[in-house]
Amino acid sequence: MELKFKAQIMDAAGVERTLVRIAHQIIEKNQGVDNICLIGIKTRGVPLAKRIAENIKNIENVDVPVGELDITLYRDDLSKVSDAPVVSDTNIPFSIKDKTVILVDDVIYTCRTSRAALDAIMAISRPARIQLFAMVDRGHAELPIKANFVGKNIPTSHSEFVSVKLEESDGETNISIYHKLERK
């Protein structure tokens, strides 16, 4: 897929401000941080979850557990992804039973990743409730799933691509929109 840059939506400082705001919203919605945990959906949801946990620690002086979730085998479009999908490790070194699990993802587009994450979490245990954070909600939901916390709503067309880059995985932090170019 060839991409043409359209616009930068958020720089590193904007991403950090957003994650501080989201940490405050999580604390407020849950009336504190007792019994909550953050689970990042691989790949970029993991560093986002860790950043939110660090912000919560700065605000509440509490360490919120952070886990990593690989949803590869729960995707309903697995055959379109790869003939031999690579499965990373899910790493949730704490019990999620009866906890408030906050799933963390970079971009919501069709909501199929979110559905797969819900299936994966329910296969692990039965949390008290599940909430969802997406750094970007770009619209186009194909399932009745809506994030509880959104960094930024960015209406897009299907011919656009939203890129969330994070220092931890990409060497820089920003959010940009690109046009998908048709190959001739």
Side-chain angles (χ1 to χ4, degrees):
M1 167 175 58
E2 241 182 286
L3 301 173
K4 180 182 176 189
F5 178 79
K6 178 179 177 185
Q8 185 176 76
I9 303 303
M10 220 181 274
D11 62 8
V15 169
E16 190 51 41
R17 278 190 305 273
T18 298
L19 294 175
V20 169
R21 174 177 53 85
I22 294 302
H24 281 284
Q25 289 178 357
I26 288 169
I27 294 164
E28 185 177 335
K29 181 174 180 71
N30 293 290
Q31 300 173 351
V33 293
D34 292 339
N35 217 31
I36 72 165
C37 61
L38 297 163
I39 298 181
I41 300 171
K42 289 193 171 185
T43 300
R44 285 173 187 80
V46 174
L48 288 170
K50 289 177 181 177
R51 288 186 188 193
I52 292 168
E54 186 61 34
N55 290 329
I56 289 172
K57 181 170 177 69
N58 292 338
I59 298 163
E60 294 286 305
N61 199 28
V62 174
D63 288 313
V64 173
V66 177
E68 302 177 8
L69 184 65
D70 177 20
I71 52 99
T72 304
L73 293 179
Y74 290 89
R75 292 181 59 131
D76 61 2
D77 61 349
L78 195 57
S79 62
K80 294 179 187 175
V81 175
S82 172
D83 289 333
V86 177
V87 178
S88 304
D89 291 337
T90 287
N91 180 17
I92 303 173
F94 49 85
S95 173
I96 62 171
K97 184 174 177 11
D98 298 326
K99 290 212 168 139
T100 296
V101 171
I102 301 167
L103 290 172
V104 178
D105 202 3
D106 58 348
V107 178
I108 287 185
Y109 180 34
T110 62
C111 294
R112 293 190 179 276
T113 297
S114 301
R115 186 215 42 90
L118 290 168
D119 288 348
I121 287 295
M122 295 308 288
I124 293 168
S125 186
R126 173 113 166 92
R129 61 186 166 168
I130 301 173
Q131 298 171 352
L132 176 62
F133 163 69
M135 189 66 199
V136 174
D137 184 343
R138 58 174 290 194
H140 307 288
E142 295 174 358
L143 300 169
I145 295 173
K146 183 176 171 140
N148 302 87
F149 312 100
V150 176
K152 188 155 185 82
N153 288 291
I154 304 173
T156 62
S157 73
H158 289 290
S159 65
E160 292 175 320
F161 176 80
V162 175
S163 169
V164 174
K165 292 185 179 175
L166 300 171
E167 186 69 37
E168 298 88 335
S169 55
D170 305 297
E172 62 181 304
T173 297
N174 62 62
I175 301 174
S176 300
I177 296 180
Y178 293 83
H179 282 290
K180 294 178 189 174
L181 301 176
E182 297 293 322
R183 291 190 176 177
K184 295 179 182 180

